[in-house]
Amino acid sequence: MKILVVRNSETAPEGAFGDWLRDQGHDLSVVAGADLTPEAMQQAPLVVLLGSPHGVYQTEIPWIAGQRGMVAARLAARRPLIGICFGAQMIAVAAGGEVGRMPDGRFFRGWLGLDQASDPALAGPWPRWHGDAITPPPAAEILARDAGTVQAFALPNAIGVQFHPEATPALLADWARLSPDGSVDAEALAADSTRHFAARHAARDALFALLLRRTGA
C-alpha cells in the first residue's frame, strides 16, 4: 500500500513506525507538513500525521490552519487516517474536539504507562512527550486514558494516539537535548529507553497492527 507520511517537524520523524511499515512491504511517501496539499491528503490510501513542537491551536501559522481543513475533509470522506501526538490532536480538532495546554502546567516526558486501555495492544509503557491535552469530539471512541488525559481515541476509519510508539532511543535523546534545561533527566531517560525499547518490540508490532486495522486500510 502507498502511505503518505506527514512529518510535521523534522525532529519527529516516523522512526520505528516507518521501519515497521516498510518491513510489511508498504511504500512510504514522506512530505513536510508545510508542503502538504489537499490533493495528496485526499488521494493517498492511508495518511499518517506525525508530531510537532507546535500546538494545533496555533492557527496563525498558515500550514497548521491549512492542515486542519485538509484533515477535516479526509475525515468527512472516511478515508483512512492515523495520528500520533500532534497528529492525533489535529484529528481531534478537525473533527470538532478541542486541544489546549494542560491547566496545571504539566508536561509529560519519558516512558509512562496508561491508567486505562481498551485493548491489550495499547497497554504501556510508551514514550510520551506532550504538554497539551485532547478533548475528543463527542462521536469519538476513547481507547486509552492516563492521569486525566486522553491517550488514544478512534473515529470512523481514523485513530489517534497521544503517546509516541514510533520514538526510538535516539529520538528520545534528541528531544531531551532540545528540552528546557533541568526538565529532563537525560541519563534516567536513556536507561529507561535501553530497558524498554528492545523489550517492547512485540508490543510495538501489535500496536502498529492495531493502528492499521482500526483505519480499515
Side-chain angles (χ1 to χ4, degrees), residues 9 47 66 71 139 146 195:
S9 170
V47 174
V71 171
D146 183 66
R195 182 167 68 255

Side-chain angles (χ1 to χ4, degrees), residues 17-217:
F17 192 23
D19 293 341
W20 183 85
L21 290 169
R22 293 182 183 95
D23 287 346
Q24 301 300 306
H26 299 296
D27 182 14
L28 272 57
S29 176
V30 178
V31 63
D35 296 331
L36 183 63
T37 66
E39 294 75 20
M41 171 64 83
Q42 289 303 320
Q43 291 172 6
L46 172 64
V47 174
V48 178
L49 301 173
L50 297 174
S52 172
H54 291 296
V56 296
Y57 40 77
Q58 292 181 274
T59 51
E60 71 278 7
I61 300 174
W63 71 264
I64 293 178
Q67 188 174 124
R68 184 182 293 199
M70 291 183 238
V71 171
R74 188 171 179 93
L75 289 169
R78 298 198 172 185
R79 300 277 285 153
L81 183 61
I82 294 169
I84 294 175
C85 198
F86 176 96
Q89 296 169 8
M90 183 62 76
I91 292 172
V93 296
E98 297 180 1
V99 172
R101 302 296 292 177
M102 283 183 279
D104 55 7
R106 282 180 297 168
F107 198 112
F108 295 98
R109 296 179 177 92
W111 290 82
L112 297 165
L114 298 173
D115 291 336
Q116 303 170 29
S118 64
D119 189 293
L122 289 162
W126 298 109
R128 303 227 320 253
W129 217 272
H130 67 100
D132 291 334
I134 294 171
T135 302
E141 177 188 358
I142 308 303
L143 303 177
R145 297 180 185 271
D146 183 66
T149 66
V150 171
Q151 289 294 315
F153 67 93
L155 291 162
N157 301 103
I159 186 168
V161 293
Q162 177 64 78
F163 52 89
H164 281 280
E166 85 290 6
T168 62
L171 273 177
L172 289 167
D174 190 44
W175 295 347
R177 181 182 59 80
L178 294 171
S179 295
D181 289 346
S183 63
V184 183
D185 184 334
E187 289 187 6
L189 176 65
D192 285 346
S193 294
T194 298
R195 182 167 68 255
H196 291 309
F197 189 76
R200 292 187 58 74
H201 180 85
R204 277 193 306 280
D205 286 357
L207 176 64
F208 294 154
L210 172 68
L211 296 181
L212 260 65
R213 191 164 63 248
R214 289 301 299 245
T215 69

